Amino acid sequence: RQDDAGCANTANLGATTLKTFSDLISGKGIRTDINYNPNVVDVRRSVRDCDAADETKLDFGNVRAGDGTCWKHVHPLEFSVLDLKDAPKTKYTKLSDTKVTIKDMVWLYDEEDKDFVNYKNVGILDDHVPTKGSPFPLSDVNVQAAYGSLDFNPEEAPVLVCGSPNEVASDPFYGDHGFTVVVPEGTGFRNWGIHDYSAQKHTTWTILSLKAVDQLRQKMAWNLSQIIAVGLPGSGGTFNEVTEHYIAFYDQFVNHAFGNYRDLMKEFSFNLIMGKWLSFHDNKSIQYNIEKYGTLNHPDENFARETMQLFSIGLYKMNMDGTYIMKENGLADETYSFDDIVSYARAWTGLGSRKERGGVSVAERQYNDKIIDPMEMKRSLRDRFPKNNLQEGYIGDHVALCEDLPAKHFLRKGATYYALGSKPTPEFQNDIEDFEVNPDYLRLQVLPSSPLYAKLCAYDTNGDCTLPSKVVLDENLAYDAYAMSGEEYAVDTIRTVQLSVGLANPIYYEYVRQPCVEFSFFENAKKVTQGEISKGDNVIDNSLCGNPKLSIATPMCASSNLQMYSKIYCHYQGERVTYAGAEALCAANDRFQSHPWQVKEKRSKSGPCINGVNSAFRSWANAQCWVRVKIDFESGYTAIVNEVEPDHGGEAEVESQVDKNTLNLFKTYWKNGIYPSDMNACNDLDACAVHEGQFCICDITVVDSAVFNSADSSMSIDQLMMD
């Protein structure tokens, strides 16, 4: 396809020849389906007439089609994608890992009939071809992965692909590349240096900033960029050879120029360039470093410090007129301390690069998308212990307790569901790796008779499901007696649900619970275990204390005449229940919640709900557990310690993160600053004992007190927290 404005008959074709090929292009040749490159047309002349003078011409030049479009005659292999797996390597020149240049094209053809011999033409560049049933190499899973079809989908089930904030839909025929211009090595052209890439970024910014119609927004974005900086692009920075990613980073300031500064801080805190620049990308918890590397390494403090000092509150507290607030010693009052930096560093653990997208993103595009897409939380790297805030409290103060969420909160107004497409694995929660592909795993299926099904389906006027990508319940769902028979009404909580009845392929939604907090210290704890129990749980050291009010573990049900073995029951794979829910689930199956001797992996003994018990989730045990506090003599910092009731083999192994030797200490606010600060003070307390000469481990008592004595009481949140 050429520029339609100019279409000179450069080959001096006769009128008959021009008419023949104009008709061929205008007729069956043009491909209008979006799956094909509209700029390439394959036509073949069979019995159509041509002028005699044109029969021996090799180049037909330009031909104008009947619709006025202009087309240039090119070699049959132009834009072709070839399968060269069996081709001799001496016949082509390798430019990179994925691209080759044909040195002599004659060897591709049989000279007699000018047709391909052994090397298949897989398709045209920018065509979208189905992988199922395609010739090698597209049918090979490894090739699909290399070219970006990363989620091999033999059943052709729907795949949901989400972009970054403010990303627009892509047009595949514009190409699938970023802004960065890359000149391959070894081609004879000069290689670009960092100053060339820097100039590319500056040129793009200058043109947009000077010519944009929204000059006030551009000026505000520039000012914000001077506060929130990631270094000079192209001067040896984290991604000095890329352009699109820095422009996308700057777009954050443009988008939020007239918005809320907190929203801007949240967005750039999840940006991979910022994560790399201030070194909190893949920031690891103390516990992870101990378990993985056997070293006591604290999380990186760079971003924790800069997000306060440079990006928000600064070094010193100020009055409304901009003057410093002074302490009694005449010095300016600091906004934060070193302890606060340490605490916030632990808060910025766990963020890492997002996985490659599925769908149409190809290999070259994946690198771009992974940098532009927000980072995601990696559970294994995350610090799970309390972090103090700057108001002598803790992050999570003023937030609802998880144990106080109403029953069936997933069916109430405000409950949020996100579409997962054909993948049952949740995005916001952790599940076992083979959950997605194992057909034996039980799914929580929602039936068309369910009010939840109606909300997730979102019927159109024709009665077909529209399946929105995000659903927020706008009312409490009313379940009649018939709807109450649905599985979702019988559970304590929901992870993912399946919609399949009435749909061509199953579609999954993930329930995302509203933000809530859990008590670090609580009483009446129950023991929870993880893994296969064999001859007592001394095989693995991962027991700990669970709050019986929270849905965090599966039941462990024993029968009265089979004391040695227990069985796990569930409504769906990986279901978590409260301890009371575990007792009810066991009772419904004529069993009781137990402290078992042994759990068998064999399905004939334990049923399908046993899948994943070794690694994915924990199970309740009818055994006591005690939460204690570990106090550092020198700093007053504390840690959480669990002590569990021994199993039948006499073992009482506890996860290392909460055993007596834990080093996961956090800042604690002591009343009047008084705490057991030496061995004598610790030994003077009846419920405490010295540990390793440096710590005091004590029993705890949790006191709950009512704030409101009547429905007539009223006070502000500030008054509530102060009291």
Side-chain angles (χ1 to χ4, degrees):
R1 174 75 182 271
Q2 302 295 301
D3 184 359
D4 298 336
C7 197
N9 183 4
T10 55
N12 297 317
L13 300 179
T16 302
T17 303
L18 284 173
K19 179 66 167 61
T20 293
F21 282 91
S22 177
D23 291 345
L24 288 172
I25 296 172
S26 302
K28 65 180 180 179
I30 296 180
R31 303 179 298 178
T32 58
D33 191 287
I34 64 170
N35 290 324
Y36 296 102
N37 187 336
N39 299 314
V40 179
V41 172
D42 285 331
V43 297
R44 180 180 291 271
R45 171 200 169 214
S46 54
V47 296
R48 300 291 295 269
D49 291 334
C50 282
D51 293 284
D54 298 329
E55 290 287 353
T56 58
K57 290 181 179 179
L58 298 178
D59 183 1
F60 274 27
N62 298 326
V63 175
R64 188 177 294 279
D67 62 355
T69 56
C70 184
W71 301 83
K72 180 181 179 181
H73 178 212
V74 296
H75 191 279
L77 287 181
E78 189 82 5
F79 300 117
S80 293
V81 179
L82 304 177
D83 174 10
L84 300 180
K85 73 180 182 68
D86 295 324
K89 294 182 179 180
T90 57
K91 295 293 187 180
Y92 57 81
T93 301
K94 184 176 182 181
L95 294 182
S96 68
D97 290 338
T98 58
K99 299 177 182 178
V100 297
T101 295
I102 306 300
K103 295 170 62 176
D104 182 1
M105 300 182 70
V106 176
W107 61 275
L108 288 167
Y109 286 94
D110 183 300
E111 284 299 311
E112 293 184 1
D113 59 11
K114 296 297 182 184
D115 204 356
F116 290 112
V117 183
N118 296 317
Y119 313 109
K120 296 184 182 301
N121 189 342
V122 179
I124 300 296
L125 182 67
D126 283 334
D127 280 3
H128 289 186
V129 296
T131 56
K132 186 175 182 180
S134 295
F136 187 90
L138 293 185
S139 60
D140 184 88
V141 178
N142 295 321
V143 174
Q144 293 178 31
Y147 281 88
S149 182
L150 298 172
D151 292 320
F152 185 51
N153 195 6
E155 302 302 325
E156 298 181 359
V159 175
L160 184 69
V161 181
C162 297
S164 298
N166 303 299
E167 183 175 342
V168 298
S170 60
D171 186 336
F173 300 119
Y174 281 137
D176 216 3
H177 308 282
F179 296 132
T180 303
V181 178
V182 178
V183 181
E185 295 182 6
T187 60
F189 298 97
R190 72 179 181 91
N191 294 323
W192 276 35
I194 57 175
H195 298 292
D196 299 295
Y197 290 108
S198 180
Q200 187 179 98
K201 301 172 181 65
H202 292 160
T203 301
T204 305
W205 175 86
T206 302
I207 293 174
L208 291 175
S209 297
L210 295 183
K211 294 188 175 183
V213 296
D214 51 352
Q215 284 297 299
L216 181 58
R217 179 181 293 274
Q218 297 298 327
K219 292 176 180 178
M220 188 65 187
W222 167 253
N223 284 313
L224 289 171
S225 73
Q226 303 310 293
I227 300 172
I228 305 159
V230 290
L232 177 64
S235 61
T238 307
F239 301 104
N240 57 42
E241 293 186 356
V242 295
T243 296
E244 183 179 2
H245 319 94
Y246 276 100
I247 294 175
F249 184 88
Y250 188 87
D251 276 344
Q252 296 174 120
F253 309 130
V254 178
N255 295 329
H256 292 282
F258 303 141
N260 186 291
Y261 190 70
R262 183 187 185 279
D263 295 337
L264 173 59
M265 288 190 69
K266 180 178 180 180
E267 187 166 335
F268 74 66
S269 297
F270 279 81
N271 189 281
L272 180 59
I273 291 181
M274 179 63 78
K276 292 281 192 177
W277 181 255
L278 290 182
S279 56
F280 67 103
H281 173 265
D282 280 346
N283 206 11
K284 302 172 180 61
S285 67
I286 293 175
Q287 185 64 29
Y288 182 90
N289 287 323
I290 291 174
E291 293 180 354
K292 183 74 173 180
Y293 307 112
T295 59
L296 180 59
N297 290 336
H298 290 260
D300 187 279
E301 299 167 359
N302 202 1
F303 186 70
R305 179 183 61 258
E306 305 295 19
T307 195
M308 293 186 288
Q309 178 180 341
L310 300 182
F311 301 156
S312 59
I313 59 177
L315 290 173
Y316 303 107
K317 298 178 182 178
M318 292 183 178
N319 297 302
M320 291 302 294
D321 62 1
T323 59
Y324 289 144
I325 297 176
M326 310 303 291
K327 297 186 291 187
E328 292 182 358
N329 60 7
L331 299 177
D333 193 5
E334 296 89 352
T335 54
Y336 61 89
S337 66
F338 177 72
D339 289 344
D340 298 323
I341 296 175
V342 172
S343 177
Y344 279 25
R346 294 192 295 109
W348 291 111
T349 55
L351 288 174
S353 301
R354 192 171 292 274
K355 295 179 180 178
E356 290 85 352
R357 299 184 191 179
V360 300
S361 288
V362 297
E364 291 186 34
R365 183 70 223 178
Q366 290 292 354
Y367 178 70
N368 292 340
D369 292 340
K370 285 180 65 176
I371 300 177
I372 295 174
D373 290 347
M375 293 186 289
E376 64 180 359
M377 188 62 66
K378 296 183 177 181
R379 179 175 177 268
S380 62
L381 307 182
R382 180 72 176 164
D383 184 284
R384 309 174 190 179
F385 298 96
K387 292 95 178 168
N388 64 277
N389 58 28
L390 301 179
Q391 292 80 42
E392 295 190 351
Y394 294 90
I395 297 175
D397 287 350
H398 303 192
V399 179
L401 286 173
C402 299
E403 63 186 55
D404 287 342
L405 294 181
K408 305 289 187 291
H409 48 84
F410 45 86
L411 301 177
R412 298 175 68 90
K413 183 178 180 178
T416 303
Y417 291 81
Y418 286 91
L420 297 172
S422 60
K423 297 170 57 177
T425 305
E427 299 267 343
F428 295 92
Q429 305 167 81
N430 187 62
D431 256 317
I432 49 180
E433 294 179 357
D434 62 341
F435 184 84
E436 180 179 336
V437 297
N438 194 322
D440 295 327
Y441 282 9
L442 297 177
R443 316 293 185 185
L444 182 61
Q445 185 168 170
V446 180
L447 301 176
S449 58
S450 163
L452 180 60
Y453 186 101
K455 293 292 185 181
L456 300 179
C457 167
Y459 295 105
D460 61 15
T461 55
N462 296 322
D464 297 324
C465 288
T466 60
L467 302 171
S469 59
K470 179 181 178 180
V471 176
V472 180
L473 300 186
D474 56 359
E475 61 182 345
N476 295 338
L477 300 186
Y479 276 68
D480 57 24
Y482 180 71
M484 287 182 185
S485 62
E487 291 285 354
E488 78 273 15
Y489 201 79
V491 299
D492 283 348
T493 190
I494 283 177
R495 296 174 70 78
T496 61
V497 297
Q498 180 192 72
L499 280 66
S500 58
V501 178
L503 301 176
N505 294 284
I507 296 294
Y508 295 88
Y509 276 86
E510 177 181 8
Y511 167 62
V512 180
R513 186 185 65 184
Q514 73 176 70
C516 60
V517 296
E518 302 175 5
F519 279 135
S520 299
F521 297 97
F522 50 90
E523 294 181 297
N524 302 315
K526 287 291 186 179
K527 179 181 178 180
V528 293
T529 62
Q530 185 178 39
E532 178 184 5
I533 301 172
S534 179
K535 297 180 181 178
D537 58 7
N538 57 312
V539 175
I540 48 177
D541 57 345
N542 56 0
S543 297
L544 46 74
C545 297
N547 187 338
K549 298 178 182 179
L550 297 176
S551 300
I552 58 173
T554 73
M556 191 85 79
C557 308
S559 62
S560 57
N561 61 352
L562 189 61
Q563 294 292 340
M564 282 190 65
Y565 302 108
S566 288
K567 187 173 182 179
I568 295 176
Y569 291 94
C570 63
H571 296 91
Y572 62 90
Q573 196 66 45
E575 178 187 6
R576 278 75 159 173
V577 297
T578 62
Y579 189 80
E583 291 181 315
L585 205 50
C586 291
N589 291 278
D590 296 323
R591 294 193 173 214
F592 63 91
Q593 173 60 42
S594 66
H595 184 204
W597 280 76
Q598 194 169 15
V599 171
K600 287 282 189 180
E601 283 272 2
K602 293 181 180 178
R603 196 161 294 134
S604 60
K605 293 285 186 181
S606 299
C609 294
I610 196 69
N611 289 324
V613 71
N614 271 341
S615 59
F617 47 80
R618 306 180 188 278
S619 299
W620 290 108
N622 186 13
Q624 297 304 307
C625 194
W626 300 270
V627 181
R628 294 192 165 94
V629 61
K630 178 179 179 179
I631 308 161
D632 179 50
F633 288 153
E634 182 178 355
S635 66
Y637 273 38
T638 61
I640 302 168
V641 172
N642 289 180
E643 183 177 339
V644 299
E645 179 182 333
D647 58 30
H648 301 284
E651 299 291 339
E653 299 292 339
V654 176
E655 281 201 8
S656 60
Q657 60 180 326
V658 288
D659 67 11
K660 292 182 179 180
N661 298 314
T662 179
L663 295 174
N664 291 289
L665 298 161
F666 51 89
K667 186 175 181 178
T668 306
Y669 299 99
W670 293 94
K671 187 174 182 179
N672 298 322
I674 300 174
Y675 64 91
S677 57
D678 55 38
M679 289 189 288
N680 292 332
C682 181
N683 289 327
D684 288 343
L685 300 173
D686 293 336
C688 297
V690 175
H691 179 68
E692 296 183 340
Q694 184 182 354
F695 303 98
C696 186
I697 297 180
C698 303
D699 295 339
I700 64 161
T701 300
V702 178
V703 178
D704 289 334
S705 58
V707 176
F708 299 103
N709 297 318
S710 70
D712 297 329
S713 302
S714 64
M715 63 178 67
S716 68
I717 289 293
D718 291 337
Q719 290 174 317
L720 174 65
M721 298 308 298
M722 196 178 304
D723 291 344

